[in-house]
Structures are given as C-alpha cells and as structure tokens.
Amino acid sequence: MDYNKLADLLFPQIDKTPQEYEAMYPPRELPEGAKVTRLGPSPTGFIHLGNLYGAFVDERLAHQSGGVFYLRIEDTDDKRYVEGAVDIIINSLRFFGIDFDEGAGLDGDTGAYGDYTQSRRGPIYQCFAKKLVAEGKAYPCFLTEEEITEIRAEQEANKVNPGIYGRYAKSRQLSLEEIEEKLKAGMPYVVRLRSDGEPSGDETGRRIRVNDAIRGILEMPENFQDVVILKATGIPTYHFAHVIDDHLMRTTHVVRGAEWLSSLPVHVELFEKLGWQPPVYCHTAQLMKLDEEGNKRKLSKRKDPELSLDYYRKQGYHPAAVREYLLTILNSNFEEWRMDHPESPTEEFPFTTEKMSNSGALFDLNKLNDISKDVLLKIPAGEIYDFLRAWAQEFHPEYLHLFEDRAYMEQILDLGRKDSKPRKDLIYAEQIIKFIGYFFDDLFHIEDEMPAEVPAEDIPKILQAYLAGYDHGDDQGQWFDKIRDIAVQLGYAAKPKDFKKHPEEYKGHVGHVSTVIRIALMGRAQSPDVWTIQQILGEERTRKRIENYKG
Ligand code: GLU
C-alpha cells in the first residue's frame, strides 16, 4: 500500500510538515536541569483539591529549578466546557499562591508554545496523524458501533482480550481502493494507531519499563491495542493530544493523577512511534480520607465537600495554611524541615518527587485545622484583618460592619497571641467570626449556662456588686481582688483549693463567681482572660453587658 497516498487522501488540507512545527517550537533555552511542567485541566468549572495538589507539584518542580510552569486547557471533550472556566482555574490557583508563567490566560495566551487550548490545535494533531499514516503506523478505521459490539461479544465468547487489535482490527486490511470508496461514500472513520504490541495480557508478554519520578521503576505489559488517536470529528483523544502537546511544548515532567497509569503503555508506544523522547512521568497518589468507620477511601465529589477548592475559600482558610498543609501531605519530610526552620517561607523547602507518597495521600481536615492555627499565629493581626475583610466582602457582606474600626478588630485578633504560651484560637474566617462574635453587640448572645454551684438568686447579687465596684482603670490584680471580695461576701471560697478541701463550708469558689461575670460579658464559660477582654471592649460596653444581663 502506498501510505503516502493514503495520508494525502485523508488529510488533503494539511500543508505544514512535522519539521515545520518542530522548528516553530524549538527546544527551550533554559538553564541545565530546569524543569518544564504544565497543568492540563478540563474546563469543567469544577476545580478540586486534586488539581491543587498536582499544580503544587508542577509549580514547585518548575520554580525550584528555574524552569517554566504553564497552563494548557484540555477541552477536546467539548461537552464539558463551561463558560468562564479558565478564569475560575486561574483565579482559584492564584488565590493559593500558584501562578503560571505561560499558557492560557485571562486575556488570551502568553508564551511562544501556543496555542494553549487543545480545541484550537486541530491542524497540529492532524499533521502528526498524517505523518503516522504516511509511515504506516496509523490507519483509518471504519468500524461502526455495531461491528465493535459484535467483535466484543466474539472476544468474550472466546475468552480473549477485548479491544481492536491484530485480526480484530478489520480496517487494517483494507486496500487503498476500498478506503477511497468508503471515503467517497462519506463513511465516518477514526484514525487508529497500528500497534506493534502482542496481546499476551499476562506475565509472559513483552513489558515496558518506565522510571516514574514518584513511583520508581514501573514494569507493565506493553500496549497492543490499536487505540484511537483522532476521533471521527478530527479531534484527538487524550492519549494523542498529550503526546503531541507535551512534546511540542517541551514539557520535561508530566505530573498527573494515578488514573492515567493504566494508559501509560499507550503513551510510551506513541512516543516511540513518533520518534520522540517521553517526558519524566510523575504519577501522583490518590487523595484519600478516613471515613467514619476509620477506613481509607478516595475523596469523592459527591460525598466530600472538602474536595472542592471553593470549600476552602468559602470557609475562609488562609492560603498560607492550605499551602503549608499540602506540603505536609506532599512530602514526608516537610514536617521535620518545618521544625528545624520554623520561620522560613515554604518556598525554601527543598521539594522532591522522591519523598512523595505513592500509595494514597491521606487528607485530614483536623490536621489542616491544627496547621492553620500555627500558621495564623505567625501572621500579623493587620494582615489577618485584611484577609478576613476581603473574605467577608466576597462571601459574607453582612459581616463587613465588623471591620469598620480597624484598631478594635486588630486588638481582638491579637488577644492572647503575644503571650509566652500564645493562644491558638484562630483557624479559618468562618470560625474566627464565630469565635470573636461576642466583641460585637449584634453578634453577642448568651451561649452557655451559668455554673450549677451558683444559685439563681446570687446572680444579680454578684453582677450588682461587680458593677458597683467596677473601675475600668484597675489593673489585673486590683480587678481580681474585687472579685475575690464579692465571692467571700456571698459565701464562696476565695481559692478553689479551699472549696475542694471543705465543700460543705461554701456554695462554690471564686472561679464560679468569675464565670458568672464571664457569661454576662461574653456569653461563654470559656474565653481568653476577662480583664484583657474588658480593656478591649471598653468601659461603656463592659458596663452595659453587666447591666443588661437577664438570666
Ligand atoms: N485533562 C486531563 C485531566 O483533566 C489532564 C491529565 C494530564 O495532566 O495529563 O485529567
């Protein structure tokens, strides 16, 4: 068969040669060892933790080595395209501190290796498909859905590997004349790879070896399927687009999810057939969580709201906390490094693919919360103020009035954070607003019960005595002495240990009395230091709270 003729017959419109594309997209001029990585999301509008996890690896590999990280939009499955999705991808990742150097952008492409949107690269894919056809390495396949179903039934009955390969690849045997006739009749066709693999399907067959940067040497049976490279519409499959794009865009490291491992043999054969060097593959682990029964399972879009990146933004997690947390699940030695370098920015951590887990990365919201407490502790109150305000502006404008008095809010945020054993009360915006709500009259409400040791008739007595003796200028010692006096006058022990020794002699102790004041002031039995809170609330608000308390 004259394959050149066949290639011209199938792709008369393709006038560029592969060499021209190779020249248009030459190897990048980068320093030795610089890595080129990419994120290739589908524009579905849903961007999840797995994307961020992968993007983080891409970003670190590229930027740690002086390389390039670019965004490619993989929209060959046009049913899934959502308007505005590119903006969502770029903005969500930017929020978490991940910026692209090149690729699809908010105002079009940047970079010399575009187009960066697969649906606009049709002629490029077709050019290389044409080359494979001209070399006899790919062919048009006219099998209909029904014929493929019949083939599958036959294979099932004979207990052989399913798929289109070897003698089942019926279009392989068509002559040029037969193909011409079908084309003339307008029959739809796809272009398939003519695989050289052997369908052994077991250990006895030929195997490929790939050195995965995360998983080490992978040995897998070689591909033997005549996979589709161009669909009937002329649009490439993922397999073909991946190989062409990552070659021409000069990607050095392909970071992608473990779900692509099974098609790795196809990609290896495609690279080989095109005569190209494959990139270094980095197949990341699945994100897992522990379910209620303590079993590990994959994070699911349906069941786990925390899979969506929106979740973190809506709850108001600080991006630095999410970054810090991701690093702990990405690299097993990160926490150790952090202990040795408590003040260093995460960018200084020497990230490596070798230290990545390959058996499933365990995602745990409680751990994220713990990390967030530590991370927020290091962020000055002024910056937390700005962050919270921006969050309120975007998600909860009804809280914006809380930010009118900047100095007041900063004092609140700093409460107990400067002590030698600092408080770690701040986790994420939604929680912070709830936590500090009592500082604002419209959010203040009584949450907790008065202590059982204090009889109801004592409550107004305590509060009245407190108000009568209240002097906003008292220091902490003077202030507490007054509470102790009230306690003793009303029959409570001045020290908890006296009450413990002789419970029959007292109603309760000074702690119970101060809890009454705490609840009247803050609505809660637990809170940071009362004296300090009063200093922030100011005299007027403090007095009003005590006066207004109604049990
Ligand atoms: N478009 C693919 C996806 O969304 C990208 C896989 C890859 O990075 O190669 O899963």
Side-chain angles (χ1 to χ4, degrees):
M1 150 111 68
D2 183 343
Y3 290 127
N4 276 316
K5 218 168 154 193
L6 175 61
D8 285 335
L9 197 63
L10 295 178
F11 300 100
Q13 79 285 13
I14 295 299
D15 48 5
K16 278 214 170 56
T17 62
Q19 292 74 18
E20 283 172 272
Y21 284 118
E22 294 281 357
M24 268 171 75
Y25 306 113
R28 293 170 184 262
E29 282 175 28
L30 289 171
E32 178 85 17
K35 298 182 171 99
V36 179
T37 58
R38 86 297 193 272
L39 191 71
S42 310
T44 56
F46 181 71
I47 167 132
H48 56 77
L49 199 61
N51 296 122
L52 181 64
Y53 180 88
F56 211 93
V57 181
D58 282 315
E59 191 274 341
R60 285 292 76 214
L61 292 183
H63 293 158
Q64 228 170 232
S65 64
V68 176
F69 173 40
Y70 70 89
L71 174 64
R72 182 170 71 222
I73 300 301
E74 308 214 329
D75 59 345
T76 53
D77 187 357
D78 55 9
K79 287 191 293 295
R80 300 198 292 161
Y81 199 99
V82 168
E83 218 42 61
V86 177
D87 299 20
I88 295 177
I89 294 165
I90 291 177
N91 288 329
S92 318
L93 292 174
R94 174 166 298 157
F95 180 79
F96 292 103
I98 294 185
D99 280 305
F100 298 98
D101 307 302
E102 170 180 314
L106 300 176
D107 316 303
D109 287 354
T110 39
Y113 290 81
D115 226 300
Y116 295 95
T117 300
Q118 289 185 331
S119 60
R120 299 205 208 107
R121 298 171 61 78
I124 304 181
Y125 304 119
Q126 287 155 19
C127 169
F128 287 92
K130 181 175 184 179
K131 169 185 152 83
L132 289 180
V133 171
E135 293 170 355
K137 295 172 184 166
Y139 65 94
C141 170
F142 295 90
L143 288 174
T144 60
E145 283 296 323
E146 296 76 58
E147 286 170 308
I148 291 177
T149 311
E150 274 168 32
I151 291 173
R152 179 169 284 262
E154 183 190 334
Q155 288 166 331
E156 264 169 31
N158 297 336
K159 296 199 167 48
V160 297
N161 292 305
I164 304 302
Y165 60 90
R167 74 180 180 83
Y168 300 101
K170 297 194 173 133
S171 291
R172 272 191 186 200
Q173 290 109 34
L174 295 174
S175 68
L176 192 57
E177 293 68 36
E178 285 169 315
I179 293 173
E180 261 186 300
E181 241 168 65
K182 289 182 186 291
L183 291 177
K184 267 201 202 114
M187 281 184 69
Y189 67 92
V190 296
V191 178
R192 285 184 190 271
L193 170 75
R194 191 190 301 270
S195 173
D196 292 324
E198 280 170 13
S200 70
D202 61 28
E203 301 297 303
T204 62
R206 290 200 302 240
R207 298 172 79 76
I208 56 158
R209 273 168 73 89
V210 175
N211 193 355
D212 185 288
I214 296 174
R215 292 163 189 262
I217 303 278
L218 297 172
E219 260 206 34
M220 310 171 82
E222 69 176 0
N223 173 58
F224 62 87
Q225 299 277 349
D226 283 4
V227 290
V228 175
I229 58 173
L230 287 187
K231 303 179 209 173
T233 48
I235 290 173
T237 53
Y238 167 80
H239 309 306
F240 199 52
H242 150 53
V243 172
I244 302 296
D245 291 347
D246 283 317
H247 172 73
L248 290 180
M249 296 180 182
R250 310 294 170 178
T251 310
T252 64
H253 289 64
V254 166
V255 179
R256 61 183 184 187
E259 68 273 21
W260 298 108
L261 269 174
S262 59
S263 42
L264 186 55
V266 173
H267 308 150
V268 168
E269 188 175 7
L270 281 169
F271 272 105
E272 192 184 287
K273 288 266 182 314
L274 286 156
W276 297 334
Q277 184 69 29
V280 177
Y281 285 101
C282 313
H283 287 97
T284 56
Q286 293 276 9
L287 287 182
M288 316 284 275
K289 75 180 271 182
L290 284 181
D291 65 14
E292 294 69 40
E293 281 94 54
N295 299 318
K296 257 192 185 186
R297 66 163 171 78
K298 270 199 264 176
L299 274 174
S300 114
K301 192 167 162 179
R302 204 167 39 81
K303 292 191 222 152
D304 306 310
E306 71 266 34
L307 185 60
S308 160
L309 282 194
D310 274 356
Y311 175 84
Y312 303 92
R313 293 194 58 178
K314 287 194 185 133
Q315 298 280 85
Y317 279 94
H318 195 284
V322 177
R323 281 175 72 88
E324 183 92 3
Y325 177 59
L326 274 183
L327 272 170
T328 65
I329 49 175
L330 275 165
N331 257 195
S332 52
N333 54 334
F334 176 74
E335 285 179 273
E336 211 181 299
W337 177 86
R338 178 46 90 207
M339 279 201 266
D340 296 341
H341 304 82
E343 303 303 327
S344 302
T346 46
E347 292 70 43
E348 284 176 16
F349 170 69
F351 178 82
T352 55
T353 46
E354 290 81 18
K355 292 273 194 254
M356 285 179 70
S357 147
N358 55 27
S359 59
L362 198 57
F363 189 79
D364 177 0
L365 273 178
N366 295 326
K367 178 98 196 246
L368 167 62
N369 288 342
D370 282 345
I371 286 181
S372 191
K373 291 177 188 171
D374 287 329
V375 169
L376 290 194
L377 197 55
K378 292 188 199 144
I379 302 180
E383 273 177 45
I384 299 185
Y385 171 94
D386 292 336
F387 168 73
L388 292 176
R389 196 178 185 287
W391 170 82
Q393 181 113 39
E394 190 170 357
F395 299 104
H396 290 281
E398 73 275 19
Y399 293 146
L400 269 177
H401 67 283
L402 309 184
F403 296 88
E404 276 158 18
D405 184 346
R406 185 176 187 116
Y408 185 56
M409 183 58 117
E410 286 190 14
Q411 272 183 302
I412 294 169
L413 294 172
D414 253 346
L415 179 58
R417 299 206 317 155
K418 301 241 165 78
D419 304 356
S420 58
K421 268 189 111 195
R423 296 185 61 98
K424 297 181 182 177
D425 297 319
L426 312 182
I427 312 176
Y428 53 91
E430 182 92 45
Q431 169 269 339
I432 294 173
I433 297 295
K434 286 219 174 77
F435 185 75
I436 65 173
Y438 58 82
F439 279 98
F440 301 91
D441 292 335
D442 60 325
L443 298 182
F444 167 73
H445 60 276
I446 305 292
E447 282 178 19
D448 291 335
E449 304 267 323
M450 285 291 179
E453 290 79 359
V454 181
E457 70 271 16
D458 275 5
I459 290 168
K461 288 185 201 158
I462 293 172
L463 296 178
Q464 272 157 25
Y466 185 67
L467 204 56
Y470 189 76
D471 182 343
H472 198 64
D474 282 348
D475 65 20
Q476 196 154 11
Q478 293 164 325
W479 166 78
F480 195 68
D481 285 346
K482 286 184 181 171
I483 297 191
R484 201 179 283 130
D485 290 347
I486 298 172
V488 173
Q489 275 165 28
L490 292 172
Y492 296 80
K495 292 188 182 127
K497 71 169 193 285
D498 296 342
F499 174 62
K500 258 183 216 136
K501 258 197 233 153
H502 303 288
E504 67 292 345
E505 289 179 20
Y506 307 98
K507 296 184 198 163
H509 61 73
V510 64
H512 300 124
V513 174
S514 69
T515 301
V516 169
I517 295 164
R518 197 184 284 267
I519 289 179
L521 277 171
M522 271 88 77
R524 301 177 195 176
Q526 303 283 331
S527 79
D529 174 62
V530 177
W531 181 82
T532 317
I533 291 175
Q534 292 180 152
Q535 294 303 307
I536 299 175
L537 284 171
E539 176 161 8
E540 203 191 317
R541 216 189 252 115
T542 301
R543 285 184 178 278
K544 276 227 178 82
R545 291 263 169 105
I546 302 289
E547 278 164 18
N548 292 347
Y549 177 79
K550 296 201 183 46

